[in-house]
Amino acid sequence: MLYPNRLQAALLFDRQVHDLEAIMRSFTRIEGMRTPVAFSLSEANPGRFYRLFHPVEELMVTFEYCEHPCAPEVFRPTLSSPYTGIVTPDIRDRLNRTQTHILLEVSHGVFAGVESDPKIAAMFEAIGRAPSGATREQFERRLQVLALMARIAIEHAMPLAVHWTQSDLLVGGEVFDKMAADPELPGPLHIHPQLFGPRPAPGDDALVGIRTFGVRHWLGREVIVEPSVLPWLANVETIFTFLRIATMPNGYVIPDGDTFGPEDRSLSYRVLHHDEGAMIGDVDPSPADMPLYELVPLKHLAHGLVSPEHVPDSRVIDDTAFPPDLMPVDQDARMALANEWFQKRKLAEGIGGRFEVRHADAPAAPPPPPAPVIRPTPSQPGLPSLSGRGLRSRVFGRKEA
C-alpha cells in the first residue's frame, strides 16, 4: 500500500512513566518553532491521553499511556524475522520485562481512523472524495513527526524497546534512537530486511536472501534478493541504492531486465519485475504473494563475485550509432529498440548517471583510464553506510543485450 495514513510507534517500558504531558508539551513547543500555526489540543485525559490537531495540515497526533504490556500477538511477525534478533539479541527478554507502554500515532485528516475500513473507503470513492494524506510528501511528513514524537519521549524515559509499525521493526530503545536520528527518507528505520535461506549442509556457508518490508510504501512493491553467497549486508546496501534511484529527484525504477551499478563498475545487479503469482526462485520456485522487484547480483568485486551472466564491461557498444549487425532486421523493431535506448538514456542522465548498452558479441573496447583515488571525507565517506549513502548515486543504467 502506497503512503499508509495511520502510523504508530509503541514504546515499551519496565516501569511506570509519568511524563506523558511533559512529552506532549515538548512536542508542541518544538513544532511551534517550525511553523506559526500551532497544534491545538482537542482532547485530553491528563497523564493518560492527548490528541492534537494541526488545522492547516489537517495532521492529527495522539499520545497515549497504557499501564499494561502490549498484546503479545502484535510482535509475532517481527519476532519471526532473524533481523530482529540480530539488531537486538535480547529482544525477547525485553518483551518479557515490559509492564507499560506509550502508544504514539500520526495521521492526516479527521476521518483517518475510519478511512481504512473497506466499506467507508468505497463510499468515499463513490462520492469522489480523495483519501487523506495520500501523497508522498504528506506520508514522509507523518514519518518525520512520528520519529520526532518518539525521540522526545525517549529523552524523558528510555524504553526497553520500540515497535515501529510502518516497517514492523522491533528494536531496543537505544538502537531506535540512533535509527530515528537519521533524516533520510526512506532510511534504515523504514525498511525491514527480512532474511531467509536454506539450512546449510555441515561445513557449508549459509546462503542468505532478503525480502523487504516497507518498500511498498514508496514503490508499491517489495524487493527480494534470492539466497546468495554475498553477505546480506552487501545486498541491503544495494537495495537502498535501488530505492534511492527510484525516489530521488527525477528518479525512476530501473526497467525490467536492465542492470545498474556505480561509476567505478565495482558491482552490477540486474532488476527483474515480477507480478503477483509469478514463480520466483531457482532451487525451489514459489508464487509471489504480491508484485516484487528482484535484484540479481551479477558482479560484486569487493566480495569476489562475477556471475557467468555478467556481460564484460569492455563489451560496450555505441548505442547512438545503432550497429547494424546487432540491431533487429525488421525496420519497425529497429526503430522501437532505438527509441527504447533513447528514453532510458534520458532517465539515467536525469539523475546525473549514464546509460550504456553492452553486448556479449561486441568487440572489446579499450580499457578506461584508472579512476582517481578519492580520500574519505565526512561529506563523502569511503565506506557505505547501512542506508547506502556511501554508494555513489551516479549510476550506470545498463541494458545488456
Side-chain angles (χ1 to χ4, degrees):
M1 175 185 179
L2 282 173
Y3 318 137
N5 194 357
R6 295 182 67 188
L7 304 179
Q8 293 182 330
L11 284 66
L12 315 182
F13 299 91
D14 59 355
R15 62 196 183 282
Q16 291 186 333
V17 179
H18 303 290
D19 302 320
L20 194 66
E21 182 166 346
I23 293 168
M24 179 272 294
R25 294 196 181 281
S26 294
F27 170 77
T28 56
R29 177 178 54 81
I30 293 172
E31 274 292 307
M33 294 187 291
R34 190 190 68 86
T35 172
V37 181
F39 277 87
S40 60
L41 183 62
S42 60
E43 183 180 351
N45 180 359
R48 297 286 182 173
F49 182 85
Y50 300 94
R51 186 188 307 276
L52 307 176
F53 187 73
H54 195 286
V56 175
E57 295 186 78
E58 292 193 349
L59 191 63
M60 186 179 297
V61 304
T62 61
F63 301 79
E64 183 176 5
Y65 173 63
C66 304
E67 285 196 323
H68 56 79
C70 295
E73 57 268 19
V74 172
F75 304 119
R76 284 176 186 160
T78 187
L79 288 175
S80 69
S81 169
Y83 182 76
T84 300
I86 292 173
V87 175
T88 309
D90 63 340
I91 189 62
R92 293 180 184 273
D93 176 64
R94 294 183 184 223
L95 291 180
N96 290 335
R97 290 157 50 199
T98 299
Q99 298 180 13
T100 64
H101 68 280
I102 291 177
L103 183 63
L104 308 173
E105 182 172 314
V106 181
S107 60
H108 268 99
V110 295
F111 295 109
V114 298
E115 280 185 341
S116 57
D117 184 292
K119 294 181 180 179
I120 295 178
M123 180 187 70
F124 282 163
E125 184 178 2
I127 63 176
R129 185 186 182 280
S132 301
T135 69
R136 176 182 167 185
E137 180 181 16
Q138 291 174 313
F139 171 57
E140 293 185 348
R141 167 73 170 140
R142 292 192 293 276
L143 291 172
Q144 292 168 335
V145 169
L146 186 60
L148 174 63
M149 294 165 66
R151 296 195 71 206
I152 291 173
I154 287 174
E155 286 184 355
H156 286 78
M158 176 62 72
L160 289 171
V162 177
H163 186 211
W164 182 266
T165 61
Q166 173 267 321
S167 55
D168 200 23
L169 275 180
L170 178 64
V171 297
E174 64 283 357
V175 176
F176 174 86
D177 197 32
K178 293 178 181 178
M179 285 184 163
D182 187 339
E184 186 167 11
L185 288 165
L189 180 60
H190 314 111
I191 308 300
H192 184 156
Q194 298 171 324
L195 310 180
F196 68 96
R199 185 181 297 275
D204 290 349
D205 293 332
L207 302 180
V208 180
I210 301 171
R211 163 76 180 259
T212 64
F213 183 79
V215 174
R216 69 184 72 186
H217 300 148
W218 277 268
L219 304 185
R221 301 180 181 219
E222 295 296 345
V223 175
I224 189 169
V225 181
E226 286 294 318
S228 165
V229 296
L230 291 176
W232 65 269
L233 273 174
N235 285 327
V236 168
E237 294 281 357
T238 304
I239 289 172
F240 275 104
T241 301
F242 170 78
L243 185 52
R244 184 166 304 103
I245 294 168
T247 57
M248 67 192 303
N250 300 319
Y252 65 102
V253 173
I254 303 296
D256 183 32
D258 284 8
T259 65
F260 72 102
E263 289 277 3
D264 63 6
R265 303 173 186 267
S266 59
L267 57 84
S268 178
Y269 282 68
R270 175 171 287 122
V271 179
L272 302 177
H273 298 197
H274 297 297
D275 294 329
E276 183 178 351
M279 300 302 292
I280 299 179
D282 296 329
V283 178
D284 186 18
S286 58
D289 60 340
M290 66 173 296
L292 296 169
Y293 294 118
E294 181 180 1
L295 305 187
V296 182
L298 301 178
K299 180 172 71 170
H300 205 303
L301 296 184
H303 297 287
L305 172 69
V306 179
S307 167
E309 298 180 15
H310 174 66
V311 177
D313 299 327
S314 60
R315 304 296 182 179
V316 179
I317 67 174
D318 182 359
D319 59 282
T320 62
F322 311 124
D325 54 334
L326 299 179
M327 300 295 288
V329 176
D330 180 76
Q331 180 67 22
D332 291 340
R334 184 181 306 155
M335 291 300 296
L337 182 59
N339 184 63
E340 176 188 328
W341 290 349
F342 173 74
Q343 296 299 331
K344 290 179 177 179
R345 189 184 310 111
K346 285 178 59 179
L347 290 173
E349 292 174 351
I351 61 170
R354 287 196 293 125
F355 173 76
E356 66 180 29
V357 178
R358 297 202 303 267
H359 195 288
D361 298 329
V373 176
I374 303 176
R375 295 187 180 277
T377 66
S379 61
Q380 190 172 21
L383 294 176
S385 65
L386 179 62
S387 63
R389 284 195 300 276
L391 296 175
R392 291 191 292 276
S393 61
R394 293 186 61 197
V395 297
F396 291 107
R398 290 189 287 264
K399 180 69 177 179
E400 297 182 350

